[in-house]
Amino acid sequence: MSYFSTWMKNGRSASLVQSGMPAVLALVLAIGPGFNLVLGLVAVIGALAAHMAMNLLDDYFDYKEDMLADRLDVVRKGMKAYTAKYPYLTDGSATVADLRNAIYFFSAQALICGAVVLAFRGWQVAAIAAAGGILGYFYSGKPLQLGYKGLGEPVIGVIFGPLLMIGVYLAACGRIDNLIIAISIPVGLLVTNILFTHSFLDKVGDEASDKKTLAGLVGSDKGNLVVSAILNFLPFIVIALASATGYINIMYIAVLVLCVMPLWLFRSLIAFADGKDWNTANPPKYMGNMGNLEQFKAAGLDWFLVRWFSARNILANYCLLIIIVRILVLLFFK
């Protein structure tokens, strides 16, 4: 494998959906007066590079905190915890120095893309990129370590929702308007949902590592289920209301056809909280691609990864359907 593909794998490239789909959605939404495809694509590439740098930076700080050892101890006690943490460091295929260099590599790509967009679109793009970069670093980095204090999930939701989408939109068309604001907020909630689903499922492992996630901050399973319901269903309510009131085109209400997906995920989390079995070995086809499901089942991780992939797929399909609607609006409702 090449250097690039190796570190894409190490950096959990499957998670790029949570930045890539909102970025592409913002690019399509920007089509109109002043649209510049090249600048928009540069912004999308920069966002993806920044995401990879953040994933690897998170691994770096988690490794420093020795979070894997804490999770293995939880498993030895007979409880569930996600143990697939920074495997490339534990198996010796990469060193901490290699990891630092990869972080620099992806960060440099993001900075170059940002500089190109800045040269053509000005200080607003720079301010958005700077805010995203600062929040991204302090998600795991000291002294703030927001991801260890129960603020990581909403921070990532802001970064990959409103900040990323408004930044790409501004890069592509040079303006900010009602459409991008109305859609970036529910998308940010669905991004938050991916991380919250992760932290809800891995609350025991995180607590053993003294990592306070949003799920740990909320505490009780009932409280976490309320948060999960808000994150799963509010994005659909927001779009429905915005469509029904004429804030955005009525056709965007089509996203409601996807509600079966968050309903399945939410019911699975209720079962998880109650300690009941849920068929994660054979999720319904409408929940989308689950990666290498057979490998997950063999490793005993399907209980975690199928739910995580479900949250990711809800975001992906939500963005994809809005992209389709946007194209139809451009073609037939100008």
Side-chain angles (χ1 to χ4, degrees), residues 18-20 22-23 46-48 50-51 54 128-140 146-147 151-168 184-185 187-189 191-192 195:
Q18 71 190 42
S19 60
L48 295 175
H51 188 176
M54 287 174 56
I128 291 171
I134 291 169
L135 288 173
Y137 176 82
F138 286 119
Y139 171 79
S140 300
L146 299 169
L151 299 175
E153 293 87 345
V155 162
I156 296 300
V158 169
I159 292 173
F160 293 142
L163 281 180
L164 182 152
M165 291 187 68
I166 291 172
V168 171
S184 68
I185 292 172
V187 168
L189 290 172
V191 172
T192 304
L195 278 82

Side-chain angles (χ1 to χ4, degrees), residues 7-16 52 55-56 58-59:
W7 284 102
M8 286 290 289
K9 178 183 177 182
N10 290 345
R12 303 183 298 284
S13 58
S15 71
L16 286 180
M52 292 303 299
N55 279 357
L56 293 170
D58 186 45
D59 280 357

Side-chain angles (χ1 to χ4, degrees), residues 119-273:
F120 290 91
R121 295 300 191 192
W123 67 269
Q124 289 178 303
V125 170
I128 291 171
I134 291 169
L135 288 173
Y137 176 82
F138 286 119
Y139 171 79
S140 300
K142 295 180 178 181
L144 299 182
Q145 287 192 303
L146 299 169
Y148 291 77
K149 295 179 173 64
L151 299 175
E153 293 87 345
V155 162
I156 296 300
V158 169
I159 292 173
F160 293 142
L163 281 180
L164 182 152
M165 291 187 68
I166 291 172
V168 171
Y169 192 87
L170 184 60
C173 68
R175 67 181 187 278
I176 301 172
D177 55 28
N178 291 346
L179 181 62
I180 191 62
I181 293 171
I183 292 179
S184 68
I185 292 172
V187 168
L189 290 172
L190 289 177
V191 172
T192 304
N193 187 46
I194 297 173
L195 278 82
F196 181 75
T197 299
H198 183 295
S199 64
F200 187 12
L201 294 169
D202 203 26
K203 187 160 71 80
V204 173
D206 286 326
E207 288 173 348
S209 306
D210 294 323
K211 183 176 183 177
K212 181 72 74 174
T213 61
L214 181 57
L217 192 65
V218 172
S220 70
D221 284 341
K222 286 185 178 179
N224 279 311
L225 286 172
V226 170
V227 175
S228 178
I230 292 170
L231 295 175
N232 272 293
F233 301 114
L234 185 57
F236 294 88
I237 296 171
V238 169
I239 291 294
L241 289 175
S243 300
T245 57
Y247 193 77
I248 59 177
N249 191 289
I250 188 64
M251 286 186 64
Y252 290 105
I253 206 168
V255 297
L256 293 181
V257 303
L258 299 174
C259 282
V260 64
M261 296 181 71
L263 181 61
W264 185 90
L265 175 59
F266 183 63
R267 290 177 61 213
S268 83
L269 291 175
I270 293 174
F272 174 80

